[in-house]
Amino acid sequence: MIKCCLSLVMKVLMAYTVQAQSIIAALGASINSKVNFTVTGTPTLAPFTTDSEIENGQVTDAVNFAIKSNRLSKLTTSVSNIVSTPISGGPATITVPLQPLNISWGVINGAGGTVTSWTAFANATITTTASVEAKTGSRGAPAVSGNTFTLRYKVIPGFSVDPGTYAVDVTYTVSAQ
């Protein structure tokens, strides 16, 4: 009798076996390239009043960057449109103006700090834009190493530049690599 019941239970269990089925569905997603950045600070300078400042230069206030990108990024900075205005006690016409070669740039990781290596803008004439790739960044938010940094400029007029008031356009461009 035990044999008979065991056989019946086996038949009942076999009757309830279910076959599994699967369906494949395609999920499509388009993710755009995104590079965002915030800038705090302005590259300002005090007037050049001492021999040392004219000969050795002055460093601008810090310009701090925080980049968020889903691609590798690069920061390009340029100086252009140097406008000179004669001042009282200087020549009536500025014949030897401040040029891009009188301006250097330097980058350090993090906010603030001191630049240890300066690089002059390469263009030698006032009529052109001098542009450089100053920094590359990683994928990720500003917390990712290298995506938060400080840019400073150093202006060294030297004694060959005419006295005057100079205005320089500084441009920052952050793009995906």
Side-chain angles (χ1 to χ4, degrees), residues 111-135:
T114 303
V115 175
T116 57
S117 177
W118 296 99
T119 305
F121 283 93
N123 293 22
T125 64
I126 199 167
T127 58
T128 59
T129 298
S131 183
V132 295
E133 182 179 313
K135 177 80 171 137

mmCIF file of all heavy atoms in Angstrom, residues 111-135:
data_model
loop_
_atom_site.group_PDB
_atom_site.id
_atom_site.type_symbol
_atom_site.label_atom_id
_atom_site.label_comp_id
_atom_site.label_asym_id
_atom_site.label_seq_id
_atom_site.Cartn_x
_atom_site.Cartn_y
_atom_site.Cartn_z
ATOM 1 N N ALA A 111 41.563 74.745 -4.207
ATOM 2 C CA ALA A 111 41.234 76.172 -4.185
ATOM 3 C C ALA A 111 42.336 76.946 -3.473
ATOM 4 O O ALA A 111 42.897 76.478 -2.495
ATOM 5 C CB ALA A 111 39.901 76.398 -3.491
ATOM 6 N N GLY A 112 42.621 78.147 -3.971
ATOM 7 C CA GLY A 112 43.637 78.999 -3.354
ATOM 8 C C GLY A 112 45.031 78.491 -3.651
ATOM 9 O O GLY A 112 45.286 77.864 -4.656
ATOM 10 N N GLY A 113 45.952 78.763 -2.763
ATOM 11 C CA GLY A 113 47.311 78.255 -2.911
ATOM 12 C C GLY A 113 48.210 79.114 -3.767
ATOM 13 O O GLY A 113 47.815 80.139 -4.298
ATOM 14 N N THR A 114 49.459 78.675 -3.864
ATOM 15 C CA THR A 114 50.484 79.410 -4.579
ATOM 16 C C THR A 114 50.921 78.636 -5.813
ATOM 17 O O THR A 114 51.204 77.439 -5.731
ATOM 18 C CB THR A 114 51.707 79.635 -3.662
ATOM 19 O OG1 THR A 114 51.264 80.312 -2.485
ATOM 20 C CG2 THR A 114 52.762 80.460 -4.350
ATOM 21 N N VAL A 115 50.994 79.312 -6.935
ATOM 22 C CA VAL A 115 51.470 78.707 -8.180
ATOM 23 C C VAL A 115 52.993 78.621 -8.116
ATOM 24 O O VAL A 115 53.657 79.587 -7.747
ATOM 25 C CB VAL A 115 51.024 79.536 -9.406
ATOM 26 C CG1 VAL A 115 51.610 78.981 -10.681
ATOM 27 C CG2 VAL A 115 49.504 79.592 -9.485
ATOM 28 N N THR A 116 53.543 77.473 -8.485
ATOM 29 C CA THR A 116 54.998 77.305 -8.455
ATOM 30 C C THR A 116 55.622 77.367 -9.841
ATOM 31 O O THR A 116 56.823 77.550 -9.970
ATOM 32 C CB THR A 116 55.386 75.958 -7.803
ATOM 33 O OG1 THR A 116 54.756 74.906 -8.530
ATOM 34 C CG2 THR A 116 54.947 75.921 -6.346
ATOM 35 N N SER A 117 54.819 77.224 -10.885
ATOM 36 C CA SER A 117 55.353 77.243 -12.248
ATOM 37 C C SER A 117 54.479 78.129 -13.134
ATOM 38 O O SER A 117 53.279 77.890 -13.264
ATOM 39 C CB SER A 117 55.383 75.809 -12.800
ATOM 40 O OG SER A 117 55.818 75.802 -14.129
ATOM 41 N N TRP A 118 55.097 79.138 -13.739
ATOM 42 C CA TRP A 118 54.381 80.088 -14.594
ATOM 43 C C TRP A 118 54.750 79.843 -16.045
ATOM 44 O O TRP A 118 55.903 79.589 -16.364
ATOM 45 C CB TRP A 118 54.741 81.527 -14.220
ATOM 46 C CG TRP A 118 54.305 81.883 -12.838
ATOM 47 C CD1 TRP A 118 55.083 81.894 -11.720
ATOM 48 C CD2 TRP A 118 53.001 82.260 -12.424
ATOM 49 N NE1 TRP A 118 54.336 82.257 -10.633
ATOM 50 C CE2 TRP A 118 53.044 82.486 -11.038
ATOM 51 C CE3 TRP A 118 51.783 82.414 -13.087
ATOM 52 C CZ2 TRP A 118 51.928 82.874 -10.304
ATOM 53 C CZ3 TRP A 118 50.683 82.806 -12.354
ATOM 54 C CH2 TRP A 118 50.757 83.031 -10.991
ATOM 55 N N THR A 119 53.765 79.971 -16.941
ATOM 56 C CA THR A 119 53.990 79.807 -18.374
ATOM 57 C C THR A 119 53.458 81.042 -19.094
ATOM 58 O O THR A 119 52.278 81.391 -18.947
ATOM 59 C CB THR A 119 53.264 78.555 -18.916
ATOM 60 O OG1 THR A 119 53.675 77.422 -18.147
ATOM 61 C CG2 THR A 119 53.573 78.331 -20.383
ATOM 62 N N ALA A 120 54.299 81.695 -19.874
ATOM 63 C CA ALA A 120 53.881 82.898 -20.596
ATOM 64 C C ALA A 120 53.004 82.522 -21.790
ATOM 65 O O ALA A 120 53.177 81.470 -22.399
ATOM 66 C CB ALA A 120 55.107 83.677 -21.084
ATOM 67 N N PHE A 121 52.052 83.393 -22.099
ATOM 68 C CA PHE A 121 51.276 83.212 -23.330
ATOM 69 C C PHE A 121 52.229 83.411 -24.499
ATOM 70 O O PHE A 121 53.102 84.273 -24.478
ATOM 71 C CB PHE A 121 50.125 84.223 -23.390
ATOM 72 C CG PHE A 121 48.975 83.844 -22.504
ATOM 73 C CD1 PHE A 121 48.894 84.333 -21.212
ATOM 74 C CD2 PHE A 121 47.981 82.992 -22.955
ATOM 75 C CE1 PHE A 121 47.833 83.989 -20.380
ATOM 76 C CE2 PHE A 121 46.916 82.631 -22.138
ATOM 77 C CZ PHE A 121 46.847 83.135 -20.848
ATOM 78 N N ALA A 122 52.071 82.615 -25.540
ATOM 79 C CA ALA A 122 53.065 82.535 -26.608
ATOM 80 C C ALA A 122 52.990 83.655 -27.631
ATOM 81 O O ALA A 122 53.992 84.010 -28.214
ATOM 82 C CB ALA A 122 52.956 81.186 -27.318
ATOM 83 N N ASN A 123 51.816 84.192 -27.886
ATOM 84 C CA ASN A 123 51.711 85.190 -28.950
ATOM 85 C C ASN A 123 52.416 86.476 -28.546
ATOM 86 O O ASN A 123 52.311 86.924 -27.417
ATOM 87 C CB ASN A 123 50.248 85.482 -29.272
ATOM 88 C CG ASN A 123 49.576 84.289 -29.899
ATOM 89 O OD1 ASN A 123 50.020 83.161 -29.751
ATOM 90 N ND2 ASN A 123 48.498 84.527 -30.596
ATOM 91 N N ALA A 124 53.123 87.059 -29.493
ATOM 92 C CA ALA A 124 53.945 88.215 -29.185
ATOM 93 C C ALA A 124 53.293 89.537 -29.550
ATOM 94 O O ALA A 124 53.817 90.585 -29.226
ATOM 95 C CB ALA A 124 55.289 88.093 -29.899
ATOM 96 N N THR A 125 52.172 89.531 -30.230
ATOM 97 C CA THR A 125 51.590 90.809 -30.662
ATOM 98 C C THR A 125 50.278 91.078 -29.963
ATOM 99 O O THR A 125 49.545 90.166 -29.590
ATOM 100 C CB THR A 125 51.352 90.828 -32.189
ATOM 101 O OG1 THR A 125 50.380 89.833 -32.499
ATOM 102 C CG2 THR A 125 52.630 90.557 -32.943
ATOM 103 N N ILE A 126 49.982 92.330 -29.815
ATOM 104 C CA ILE A 126 48.772 92.755 -29.121
ATOM 105 C C ILE A 126 47.509 92.503 -29.944
ATOM 106 O O ILE A 126 46.416 92.484 -29.414
ATOM 107 C CB ILE A 126 48.907 94.246 -28.756
ATOM 108 C CG1 ILE A 126 47.919 94.612 -27.665
ATOM 109 C CG2 ILE A 126 48.735 95.143 -29.950
ATOM 110 C CD1 ILE A 126 48.198 95.949 -27.052
ATOM 111 N N THR A 127 47.642 92.311 -31.247
ATOM 112 C CA THR A 127 46.474 92.205 -32.113
ATOM 113 C C THR A 127 45.897 90.800 -32.176
ATOM 114 O O THR A 127 44.850 90.594 -32.773
ATOM 115 C CB THR A 127 46.834 92.647 -33.550
ATOM 116 O OG1 THR A 127 47.903 91.807 -34.007
ATOM 117 C CG2 THR A 127 47.251 94.090 -33.583
ATOM 118 N N THR A 128 46.569 89.837 -31.577
ATOM 119 C CA THR A 128 46.071 88.471 -31.650
ATOM 120 C C THR A 128 45.650 87.970 -30.280
ATOM 121 O O THR A 128 46.020 88.528 -29.252
ATOM 122 C CB THR A 128 47.159 87.524 -32.206
ATOM 123 O OG1 THR A 128 48.285 87.588 -31.353
ATOM 124 C CG2 THR A 128 47.545 87.885 -33.625
ATOM 125 N N THR A 129 44.880 86.897 -30.287
ATOM 126 C CA THR A 129 44.482 86.242 -29.057
ATOM 127 C C THR A 129 45.515 85.187 -28.726
ATOM 128 O O THR A 129 45.885 84.390 -29.573
ATOM 129 C CB THR A 129 43.096 85.591 -29.235
ATOM 130 O OG1 THR A 129 42.152 86.610 -29.523
ATOM 131 C CG2 THR A 129 42.673 84.847 -27.991
ATOM 132 N N ALA A 130 45.986 85.190 -27.509
ATOM 133 C CA ALA A 130 46.915 84.163 -27.052
ATOM 134 C C ALA A 130 46.107 83.159 -26.244
ATOM 135 O O ALA A 130 45.468 83.509 -25.260
ATOM 136 C CB ALA A 130 48.014 84.781 -26.203
ATOM 137 N N SER A 131 46.102 81.902 -26.681
ATOM 138 C CA SER A 131 45.276 80.888 -26.062
ATOM 139 C C SER A 131 46.110 79.669 -25.705
ATOM 140 O O SER A 131 47.003 79.279 -26.466
ATOM 141 C CB SER A 131 44.159 80.489 -27.045
ATOM 142 O OG SER A 131 43.299 79.563 -26.457
ATOM 143 N N VAL A 132 45.816 79.061 -24.549
ATOM 144 C CA VAL A 132 46.541 77.872 -24.106
ATOM 145 C C VAL A 132 45.580 76.878 -23.473
ATOM 146 O O VAL A 132 44.544 77.260 -22.933
ATOM 147 C CB VAL A 132 47.646 78.209 -23.074
ATOM 148 C CG1 VAL A 132 48.726 79.063 -23.678
ATOM 149 C CG2 VAL A 132 47.069 78.840 -21.836
ATOM 150 N N GLU A 133 45.945 75.594 -23.564
ATOM 151 C CA GLU A 133 45.237 74.567 -22.795
ATOM 152 C C GLU A 133 45.903 74.538 -21.424
ATOM 153 O O GLU A 133 47.051 74.139 -21.287
ATOM 154 C CB GLU A 133 45.341 73.212 -23.476
ATOM 155 C CG GLU A 133 44.581 72.127 -22.753
ATOM 156 C CD GLU A 133 44.661 70.788 -23.448
ATOM 157 O OE1 GLU A 133 44.464 70.729 -24.675
ATOM 158 O OE2 GLU A 133 44.948 69.800 -22.746
ATOM 159 N N ALA A 134 45.177 74.979 -20.413
ATOM 160 C CA ALA A 134 45.771 75.155 -19.096
ATOM 161 C C ALA A 134 45.598 73.952 -18.175
ATOM 162 O O ALA A 134 46.430 73.726 -17.309
ATOM 163 C CB ALA A 134 45.172 76.389 -18.422
ATOM 164 N N LYS A 135 44.531 73.171 -18.356
ATOM 165 C CA LYS A 135 44.252 72.099 -17.400
ATOM 166 C C LYS A 135 43.353 71.055 -18.036
ATOM 167 O O LYS A 135 42.466 71.384 -18.794
ATOM 168 C CB LYS A 135 43.554 72.702 -16.177
ATOM 169 C CG LYS A 135 43.120 71.747 -15.114
ATOM 170 C CD LYS A 135 44.253 71.336 -14.227
ATOM 171 C CE LYS A 135 43.737 70.556 -13.032
ATOM 172 N NZ LYS A 135 44.512 69.413 -12.707
#
